């Protein structure tokens, strides 16, 4: 698959009332956002079964149902996180072979597709299942034609190497932003060496790197929005993070673009990165970051942002893409 440099992320459109929800969402607006992104040239959507406990996948299915076949985006989803139907705040990281297969069938049904373009293990299992068990389950699903490609999300280089011994890791999905840069230390080099595609998530750090957050906006977030209680959005860490945003402002002005687009382009400057997943819940939000697909930051831009990262002490990991 040849993917566009940015793809639409469907975490937030899962809605409220689950363990990591983003507060109330308007499904009609979410559908419009997805269709608008496709109209603007985005050719892939990343979701997961756990997002809204299946709701995100259902919204994605509704959005793409009437898009002509020659323009339909690739659909990527994830497995390995299940929930208790009686407890919407439950979330269990399961890697048993039978669970992975059942989750695949459930996602196929919710998405309304015959084949999932990319099926990813969301997190390392916590039920005692070794990576060899769930990776073999994914390899089997690929061999059977249930999925086109298979990947890992939130797995380190050691686990990727163990999976690679059984069969190729097509893709890896790590978090990466100018705040949280840990993936650049070992994971990105491993992927480059093994020709594993990389699609990074949270390049705008869940909205933090858009220039639209201040203490007042954080205080106004509903309790059902996980950001209202996350350390990135509170205390000294929040102040350090805003210093990085401040360094992006003149870069955005020089390129005539948004701060969010600069934040995304910063992740795309890493050579191993194939694309960035960017969330949107309205067409206007899509228009706010779509320019990142065509934006290339030069050495001065990267140095300005990297210097601010070092000076502020924000986050962790290498400060200069390379």
């Amino acid at each position: 698959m040849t993917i566009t440099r940015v793809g639409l992320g469907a975490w937030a459109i899962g809605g409220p009332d689950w363990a990591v929800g983003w507060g109330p969402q308007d499904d009609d607006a979410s559908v419009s956002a997805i269709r608008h992104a496709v109209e603007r040239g985005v050719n892939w959507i990343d979701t997961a079964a756990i997002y809204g406990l299946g709701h995100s996948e259902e919204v994605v299915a509704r959005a793409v149902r009437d898009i002509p076949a020659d323009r339909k985006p690739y659909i990527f989803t994830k497995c390995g996180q299940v929930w208790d139907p009686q407890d919407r705040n439950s979330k269990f990281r399961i890697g048993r072979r039978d669970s992975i297969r059942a989750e695949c069938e459930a996602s196929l049904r919710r998405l309304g597709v015959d084949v999932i373009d990319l099926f990813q293990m969301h997190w390392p299992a916590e039920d005692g299942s070794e990576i060899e068990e769930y990776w073999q389950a994914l390899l089997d699903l690929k061999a059977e034609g249930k999925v086109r490609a298979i990947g890992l999300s939130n797995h380190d280089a050691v686990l990727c190497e163990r999976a690679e011994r059984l069969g190729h890791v097509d893709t890896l999905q790590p978090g990466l932003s100018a705040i949280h840069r840990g993936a650049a230390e070992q994971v990105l080099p491993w992927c480059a060496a093994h020709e594993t595609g990389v699609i990074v998530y949270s390049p705008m750090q869940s909205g933090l790197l858009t220039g639209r957050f201040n203490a007042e906006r954080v205080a106004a977030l509903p309790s059902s929005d996980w950001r209202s209680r996350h350390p990135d959005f509170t205390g000294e860490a929040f102040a350090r993070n805003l210093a990085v945003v401040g360094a992006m402002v003149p870069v955005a002005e020089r390129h005539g673009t948004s701060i969010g687009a600069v934040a995304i382009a910063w992740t795309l400057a890493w050579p191993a990165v194939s694309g960035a997943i960017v969330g949107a819940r309205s067409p206007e939000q899509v228009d706010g970051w779509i320019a990142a697909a065509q934006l290339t930051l030069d050495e001065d831009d990267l140095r300005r942002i990297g210097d601010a990262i070092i000076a502020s002490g924000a986050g962790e990991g290498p400060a200069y893409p390379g």
Side-chain angles (χ1 to χ4, degrees):
M1 288 175 277
T2 299
I3 64 169
T4 49
R5 292 284 274 165
V6 291
L8 190 138
W11 175 9
I13 70 175
D17 302 324
W18 64 287
V20 199
W22 289 63
Q25 307 298 324
D26 182 333
D27 288 350
D28 289 341
S30 297
V31 167
S32 295
I34 293 169
R35 291 176 178 169
H36 186 65
V38 173
E39 289 171 1
R40 294 292 309 267
V42 172
N43 77 347
W44 55 287
I45 301 167
D46 181 84
T47 183
I50 194 68
Y51 298 162
L53 312 186
H55 186 63
S56 175
E57 289 185 329
E58 292 168 349
V59 173
V60 169
R62 176 184 157 196
V64 305
R65 186 177 299 125
D66 297 327
I67 295 176
D70 62 344
R71 293 177 51 237
K72 266 195 198 311
Y74 298 123
I75 297 177
F76 305 161
T77 193
K78 310 178 197 76
C79 62
Q81 293 205 93
V82 301
W83 58 92
D84 179 351
Q86 305 304 314
D87 180 5
R88 289 190 61 84
N89 284 313
S90 63
K91 184 160 56 76
F92 311 103
R93 294 176 182 172
I94 306 298
R96 295 192 321 273
R97 185 187 303 262
D98 61 330
S99 180
I100 299 300
R101 297 189 70 86
E103 292 172 61
C104 180
E105 295 296 338
S107 287
L108 285 165
R109 183 174 61 254
R110 284 189 293 264
L111 291 167
V113 297
D114 296 324
V115 180
I116 294 168
D117 293 306
L118 173 63
F119 201 45
Q120 306 154 94
M121 183 66 177
H122 208 153
W123 287 89
E126 294 179 344
D127 65 340
S129 303
E130 298 290 344
I131 189 170
E132 287 78 9
E133 178 174 356
Y134 57 79
W135 190 245
Q136 187 60 58
L138 288 169
L139 287 165
D140 292 345
L141 289 169
K142 182 178 179 181
E144 293 166 20
K146 298 279 188 182
V147 302
R148 292 183 63 192
I150 52 176
L152 296 169
S153 175
N154 299 301
H155 283 61
D156 62 25
V158 172
L159 290 174
C160 289
E161 184 63 33
R162 286 171 59 183
E164 185 76 11
R165 293 182 193 129
L166 292 177
H168 184 49
V169 179
D170 294 326
T171 68
L172 184 72
Q173 182 181 144
L176 181 68
S177 74
I179 304 299
H180 295 300
R181 309 171 299 275
E185 294 179 336
Q186 294 184 350
V187 169
L188 295 189
W190 186 92
C191 291
H194 292 82
E195 297 186 347
T196 290
V198 177
I199 52 174
V200 300
Y201 70 85
S202 293
M204 296 189 298
Q205 205 51 54
S206 304
L208 184 56
L209 298 176
T210 61
R212 297 180 182 145
F213 266 94
N214 53 34
E216 291 74 20
R217 182 175 178 186
V218 172
L221 291 172
S223 59
S224 57
D225 189 322
W226 65 272
R227 296 174 295 179
S228 65
R229 53 192 178 275
H230 194 277
D232 281 344
F233 291 83
T234 58
E236 292 183 6
F238 183 57
R240 290 193 292 268
N241 295 340
L242 290 185
V244 177
V245 177
M248 293 182 175
V249 172
V251 176
E253 291 174 347
R254 187 165 76 84
H255 288 279
T257 192
S258 67
I259 300 169
V262 170
I264 298 163
W266 185 90
T267 68
L268 295 171
W270 291 87
V273 173
S274 309
I277 303 165
V278 195
R281 292 166 280 173
S282 70
E284 293 75 21
Q285 288 184 343
V286 172
D287 289 338
W289 51 253
I290 194 72
Q294 306 299 325
L295 177 60
T296 299
L297 302 182
D298 62 26
E299 291 185 7
D300 288 341
D301 298 328
L302 297 175
R303 183 167 51 252
R304 179 189 292 269
I305 296 168
D307 289 349
I309 290 170
I310 298 297
S312 67
E316 76 292 325
Y320 305 95

